[in-house]
């Protein structure tokens, strides 16, 4: 019987069994940022510990950086204190820091891949739940808490129990206007926000074989929204092609050896899975959320559910609570809901490919006068390339505010926030109450092209209609 | 440094109803702008506890009948969302020492265990029975017995569950694995040396 990629990577990084029965697992690559690391460095200091392998930790700053001012000190003193703390900790422990003046700063889950730090067959940890993103490369990547950040800094290992593996096959072809974001929103809608508890998700099938690395990252990113701590795609030529020539990728003979190793980490064809789910690509349409968790999704042409649609009492209560927060009525269409803000960015959809895809449709169009539209590139590298390729200008011309790299309004730890009960069409990954900085703020998750469509029309719209992507009706 | 063995937690309890209570609700992101966890307790559940002008809203955690509670009771999928340890830290620093819920999100559960704050699951019906008893007598003592996996209150007891490895870690006094991890140093080096990517450094 063959082994899954999860099993192979796990085995290659297992150190020993701990007295509590868990496995001590070596973490090959540790990524840190300003929000969840300072307390961990504090814990190290309290215990007189050092960073064990500083060359395997990489830092950047993303959550709190303002996207509309670049000069320090920032107007927000707490933000300034946090960036300084990270600078100090990195300098003291000899950790590479992609600071704001390096041209490489950005959202940690965008920086790792674009620098070639994220590689197949490795274990990655970061004090951030969207670390699952890195699984797109065939890495096993865990979001961890701060005490575990401390563990990894001090020992380069952490205590873990193995996960089960669920293979999710998406076969067939996605229709025009249907994107990776729709695939993952659809998966979460089907399997639920806790369907993945205890599992690693292995994404496979024709759709994933054809996906670019950026698209694979979008799906893996939101594994955690489906309750799965880890999500991954087996490495293939697309993966190797992406990594070739990146700053931290192996070079020369080491490259060839690495590719050989990486190939061997892919799941064996005869490996057994704890669960298998099959989905048809043709069944997926542009998906939007209507509620307050990412599992509350519908196709854009469906109606918002009513409490009576819930199968259990708790589901009915969940629907009522969501409708109350969203100020929606059960049974009405989601299409046509007036939006106030369009947010384009985040570690889910803030990459160059997202900007490219949307720019081709945005060209020559204008954001609706009632909408504040902001576009936040995921990293300084993305920002520079978008500028060089003229994409940034297309966004600006359309009426988007073009910002500096960071997490921005994805969770509003910086000045980018919703106000009052504004409704936001967002390319990010979480629609929890209060997520975008206002307690009563409302978020609708969707693909970047759907965000652009909403920005232009001023309401939730089917991007396929707005941009002419629907097939001509037969006989027309 | 030996850690205390956590066999039993007893105290007064408070019920915060709802399913899928996420980490943004437990500690809103703006309170994560901090370089230590000290002081987070004050902001636990802030946005559901407070009005925008900072005055109290109607919420079980503001109800004087339940002040001083050390056991938090809630619904399904408690602690979902982000990996931020700020969430269990805020709960812990607000004085709680255990959480009872129908189920927990994975990372929240692990983070809590590592703080020595057990998260135990019980069925919906059992939790509702506990909540009814609590509403009738807010001063009632709730006792979680991790050895027997039971929750006692009044003259009633219900069963509860916690993943076996985590249960053993708590009752055995090794819920924080740091020392154990440090002890594995030599084996760690051996495994690291076998991995080409680990040895390599950037050009
Ligand atoms: S973009 Fe959003 S989800 Fe991604 S790391 Fe930043 S805050 Fe977290």
């Amino acid at each position: 019987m063959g082994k899954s990629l999860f099993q192979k990577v796990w085995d290659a990084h297992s150190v020993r069994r701990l007295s509590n029965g868990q496995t001590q697992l070596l973490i090959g690559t540790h990524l840190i940022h300003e929000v969840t690391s300072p307390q961990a460095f504090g814990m190290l200091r309290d215990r007189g510990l050092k960073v064990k392998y500083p060359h395997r930790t990489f830092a950047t700053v993303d959550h709190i950086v303002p996207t509309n001012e670049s000069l320090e000190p920032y107007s927000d003193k707490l933000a300034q204190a946090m960036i300084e703390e990270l600078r100090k900790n990195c300098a003291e422990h000899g950790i590479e820091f992609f600071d704001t003046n390096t041209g490489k700063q950005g959202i940690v889950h965008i920086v790792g891949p674009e620098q070639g730090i994220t590689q197949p067959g490795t274990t990655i940890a970061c004090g951030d739940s969207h670390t699952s993103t890195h699984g797109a490369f065939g890495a096993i990547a865990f979001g961890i808490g701060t005490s575990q950040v401390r563990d990894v800094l001090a020992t380069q290992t952490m205590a873990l129990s193995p996960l089960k593996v669920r293979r999710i096959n998406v076969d067939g072809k996605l229709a025009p206007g249907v994107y990776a974001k729709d695939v993952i929103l659809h998966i979460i809608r089907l399997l639920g926000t806790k369907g993945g508890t205890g599992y690693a998700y292995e994404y496979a099938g024709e759709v994933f074989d054809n996906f670019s690395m950026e698209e694979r990252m979008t799906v893996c990113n939101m594994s955690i929204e489906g309750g799965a701590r880890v999500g991954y795609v087996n490495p293939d030529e697309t993966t190797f092609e992406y990594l070739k020539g990146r700053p931290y990728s192996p070079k020369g003979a080491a490259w060839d050896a690495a590719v050989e190793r990486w190939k061997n980490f892919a799941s064996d064809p005869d490996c057994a899975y704890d669960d298998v789910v099959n989905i048809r690509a043709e069944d997926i349409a542009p998906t939007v959320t209507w509620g307050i968790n990412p599992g509350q999704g519908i196709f854009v042409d469906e109606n918002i559910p009513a409490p009576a649609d819930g199968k259990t009492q708790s589901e009915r209560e969940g629907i009522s609570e969501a409708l109350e927060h969203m100020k929606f009525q059960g049974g009405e269409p989601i299409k046509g809901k007036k939006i106030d803000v369009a947010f384009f960015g985040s570690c889910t959809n803030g990459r160059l490919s997202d900007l490219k895809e949307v720019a081709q449709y945005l060209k020559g169009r204008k954001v609706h006068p009632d909408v504040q539209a902001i576009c936040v590139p995921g990293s300084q590298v993305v920002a520079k390339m978008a500028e060089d390729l003229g994409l940034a200008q297309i966004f600006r011309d359309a009426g988007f505010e073009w910002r500096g790299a960071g997490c921005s309004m994805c969770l509003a730890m910086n000045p980018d926030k919703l106000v009052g009960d504004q409704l936001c069409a967002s390319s990010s990954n979480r629609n929890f109450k209060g997520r975008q900085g206002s307690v009563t703020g409302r978020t609708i998750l969707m693909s970047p092209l759907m965000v652009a469509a909403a920005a232009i029309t001023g309401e939730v719209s089917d991007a396929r209609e707005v941009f002419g992507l629907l097939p001509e009706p037969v006989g027309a | 440094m030996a850690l205390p063995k956590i066999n039993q937690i007893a105290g007064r309890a408070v019920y915060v109803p709802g399913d899928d209570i996420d980490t943004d609700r437990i500690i809103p992101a703006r309170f994560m702008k901090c370089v230590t966890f000290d002081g987070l307790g004050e902001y636990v559940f802030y946005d559901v506890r407070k009005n925008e002008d900072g005055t109290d809203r109607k919420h079980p955690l503001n109800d004087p009948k339940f002040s001083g509670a050390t056991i938090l009771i809630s619904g399904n999928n408690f602690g979902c969302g982000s990996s931020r340890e700020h969430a269990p830290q805020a709960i812990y620093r607000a004085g709680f020492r255990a959480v009872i819920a129908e189920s927990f999100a994975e990372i929240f559960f692990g983070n809590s265990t590592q703080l020595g704050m057990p998260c135990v699951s019980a069925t919906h019906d059992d939790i509702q029975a506990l909540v009814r008893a609590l509403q009738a007598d807010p001063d009632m003592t709730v006792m979680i017995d991790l050895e027997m996996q039971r929750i006692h209150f009044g003259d009633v007891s219900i069963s509860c569950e916690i993943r076996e490895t985590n249960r053993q870690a708590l009752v055995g006094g090794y819920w924080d694995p740091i020392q154990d991890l440090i002890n594995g140093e030599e084996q760690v080096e051996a495994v690291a040396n076998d991995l080409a990517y680990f040895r390599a450094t950037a050009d």
Side-chain angles (χ1 to χ4, degrees):
Chain A
M1 176 90 65
K3 285 184 180 177
S4 66
L5 176 135
F6 181 85
Q7 192 63 50
K8 294 182 195 184
V9 176
W10 181 272
D11 290 349
H13 292 79
S14 288
V15 176
R16 61 187 188 128
R17 221 179 124 88
L18 295 166
S19 47
N20 68 1
Q22 289 189 295
T23 300
Q24 179 169 15
L25 197 75
L26 180 75
I27 298 304
T29 303
H30 187 199
L31 305 170
I32 60 173
H33 63 77
E34 77 283 11
V35 181
T36 54
S37 71
Q39 309 82 357
F41 283 107
M43 294 176 194
L44 284 195
R45 243 168 251 132
D46 289 347
R47 287 174 154 264
L49 296 167
K50 286 205 172 57
V51 177
K52 177 85 180 139
Y53 293 103
H55 79 289
R56 293 311 308 167
T57 296
F58 303 88
T60 190
V61 52
D62 49 11
H63 288 67
I64 56 93
V65 276
T67 61
N68 53 359
E69 58 173 336
S70 52
L71 284 184
E72 293 182 44
Y74 300 141
S75 7
D76 179 348
K77 286 197 185 64
L78 288 172
Q80 186 63 33
M82 289 176 88
I83 193 171
E84 282 171 12
E85 185 78 10
L86 184 59
R87 245 176 228 142
K88 182 187 90 184
N89 286 327
C90 289
E92 182 181 327
H93 294 278
I95 292 167
E96 171 116 23
F97 178 30
F98 302 116
D99 202 343
T100 48
N101 61 358
T102 59
K104 298 175 178 176
Q105 170 267 337
I107 306 172
V108 62
H109 311 306
I110 293 193
V111 171
E114 81 191 356
Q115 292 299 323
I117 291 167
T118 301
Q119 294 177 9
T122 62
T123 50
I124 299 176
C126 174
D128 191 285
S129 53
H130 293 99
T131 307
S132 57
T133 312
H134 305 264
F137 291 79
I140 298 302
F142 299 94
I144 59 178
T146 295
S147 296
Q148 287 176 308
V149 173
R150 171 206 65 184
D151 294 348
V152 179
L153 289 172
T155 71
Q156 202 65 33
T157 64
M158 56 189 204
L160 280 167
S161 304
L163 297 168
K164 292 180 283 186
V165 181
R166 171 179 292 143
R167 176 152 163 134
I168 302 177
N169 292 309
V170 186
D171 282 305
K173 292 225 163 5
L174 293 175
V178 180
Y179 294 98
K181 182 66 157 284
D182 302 305
V183 172
I184 186 62
L185 284 173
H186 187 68
I187 291 173
I188 300 167
R189 177 187 183 181
L190 288 180
L191 302 178
T193 50
K194 55 174 198 155
T197 308
Y199 282 97
Y201 279 177
E202 174 174 309
Y203 303 103
E206 205 181 331
V207 165
F208 285 92
D209 293 343
N210 293 328
F211 265 170
S212 67
M213 288 316 294
E214 288 83 354
E215 292 170 306
R216 295 177 187 181
M217 283 190 257
T218 297
V219 173
C220 289
N221 175 269
M222 289 188 71
S223 302
I224 189 73
E225 269 62 59
R229 191 170 185 184
V230 160
Y232 67 87
V233 178
N234 285 305
D236 61 9
E237 289 306 324
T238 307
T239 321
F240 312 145
E241 195 48 47
Y242 177 98
L243 283 173
K244 198 161 189 175
R246 304 227 165 223
Y248 286 80
S249 295
K251 310 270 152 38
W255 168 260
D256 296 330
V259 171
E260 272 323 297
R261 272 200 318 276
W262 293 344
K263 280 185 183 156
N264 289 327
F265 274 106
S267 293
D268 296 322
D270 63 339
C271 84
Y273 294 95
D274 300 287
D275 191 32
V276 177
V277 173
N278 293 303
I279 295 170
R280 292 294 313 169
E282 289 77 9
D283 295 341
I284 308 175
T287 300
V288 293
T289 58
W290 55 270
I292 51 172
N293 75 55
Q296 292 175 320
I298 47 175
F299 296 143
V300 63
D301 49 13
E302 284 182 276
N303 290 338
I304 298 166
D309 297 329
K311 284 189 237 32
T312 61
Q313 180 58 23
S314 112
E315 235 179 87
R316 287 187 286 274
E317 283 167 16
I319 295 174
S320 298
E321 189 192 353
L323 291 176
E324 195 188 321
H325 179 83
M326 295 301 288
K327 305 192 167 131
F328 292 164
Q329 299 292 321
E332 53 176 10
I334 188 97
K335 222 160 91 173
K337 289 286 172 200
K338 297 261 176 290
I339 66 146
D340 304 292
V341 176
F343 171 64
F344 190 128
S346 87
C347 59
T348 317
N349 282 119
R351 297 185 190 79
L352 191 69
S353 58
D354 299 309
L355 294 167
K356 259 190 196 160
E357 177 68 23
V358 170
Q360 59 176 323
Y361 297 107
L362 202 57
K363 206 168 184 166
R365 303 199 189 229
K366 288 274 181 244
V367 168
H368 191 278
D370 298 340
V371 174
Q372 182 195 17
I374 61 175
C375 183
V376 186
S379 71
Q380 292 179 335
V381 171
V382 170
K384 166 116 190 6
M385 293 204 298
E387 207 65 75
D388 293 349
L389 294 170
L391 307 175
Q393 199 51 44
I394 295 176
F395 276 83
R396 279 191 209 105
D397 289 345
F400 272 83
E401 297 168 30
W402 181 262
R403 298 292 189 82
C407 295
S408 181
M409 207 187 270
C410 175
L411 96 166
M413 274 187 79
N414 68 0
D416 308 338
K417 290 182 185 9
L418 294 183
V419 180
D421 67 355
Q422 280 184 326
L423 185 62
C424 178
S426 182
S427 72
S428 58
N429 49 37
R430 285 192 176 143
N431 53 343
F432 300 145
K433 285 182 182 174
R435 171 74 178 181
Q436 294 192 289
S438 162
V439 185
T440 48
R442 298 170 296 157
T443 303
I444 301 186
L445 303 177
M446 57 183 79
S447 75
L449 194 67
M450 289 282 287
V451 171
I456 289 167
T457 59
E459 55 189 42
V460 176
S461 306
D462 188 337
R464 298 170 302 182
E465 290 168 3
V466 176
F467 301 114
L469 292 170
L470 285 170
E472 294 286 317
V474 182
Chain B
M1 191 168 69
L3 298 169
K5 295 185 164 68
I6 301 174
N7 300 310
Q8 294 181 340
I9 295 112
R12 291 169 49 245
V14 58
Y15 177 51
V16 176
D19 291 334
D20 300 308
I21 290 189
D22 57 71
T23 49
D24 283 71
R25 196 118 32 115
I26 297 171
I27 184 83
R30 61 184 186 282
F31 300 117
M32 289 163 55
K33 279 191 217 160
C34 55
V35 293
T36 76
F37 289 131
D38 306 343
L40 274 187
E42 214 178 305
Y43 303 112
V44 72
F45 286 103
Y46 193 88
D47 287 345
V48 281
R49 263 178 43 223
K50 301 277 183 183
N51 290 309
E52 280 179 51
D53 61 6
T55 53
D56 279 358
R57 286 168 65 166
K58 199 170 150 15
H59 190 274
L61 293 182
N62 291 334
D63 187 338
K65 286 206 295 290
F66 298 105
S67 74
T70 56
I71 296 173
L72 185 69
I73 306 171
S74 193
N76 222 326
N77 201 23
F78 186 79
C80 61
S82 89
S83 61
R84 67 182 72 151
E85 194 168 306
H86 302 66
Q89 287 277 2
I91 294 174
Y92 189 88
R93 282 159 201 267
F96 293 98
R97 292 298 173 263
V99 187
I100 301 170
E102 286 173 48
S103 66
F104 295 90
E106 191 113 354
I107 304 182
F108 179 89
F109 176 83
N111 285 341
S112 300
T113 308
Q114 192 156 358
L115 292 182
M117 180 170 74
C119 291
V120 298
S121 324
T123 64
H124 178 80
D125 291 349
D126 281 347
I127 288 183
Q128 287 312 312
L130 167 60
V131 168
R132 277 192 303 275
L134 189 64
Q135 248 109 43
D137 176 13
D139 286 324
M140 150 184 112
T141 297
V142 176
M143 200 269 276
I144 304 170
D145 182 342
L146 288 176
E147 300 270 15
M148 305 306 292
Q149 306 204 49
R150 305 285 303 174
I151 300 170
H152 302 271
F153 51 97
D155 44 17
V156 186
S157 104
I158 58 177
S159 72
C160 65
E161 277 182 18
I162 176 165
R163 194 191 291 144
E164 187 53 22
T165 46
N166 300 73
R167 192 187 72 83
Q168 284 183 12
L170 289 159
V171 300
Y174 39 82
W175 34 271
D176 183 346
I178 183 78
Q179 195 53 49
D180 210 0
L181 294 174
I182 291 172
N183 294 345
E185 193 170 30
E186 277 175 31
Q187 282 140 293
V188 172
E189 274 168 27
V191 174
N193 276 328
D194 268 352
L195 294 165
Y197 83 92
F198 197 95
R199 296 189 305 263
T201 42
D203 300 337

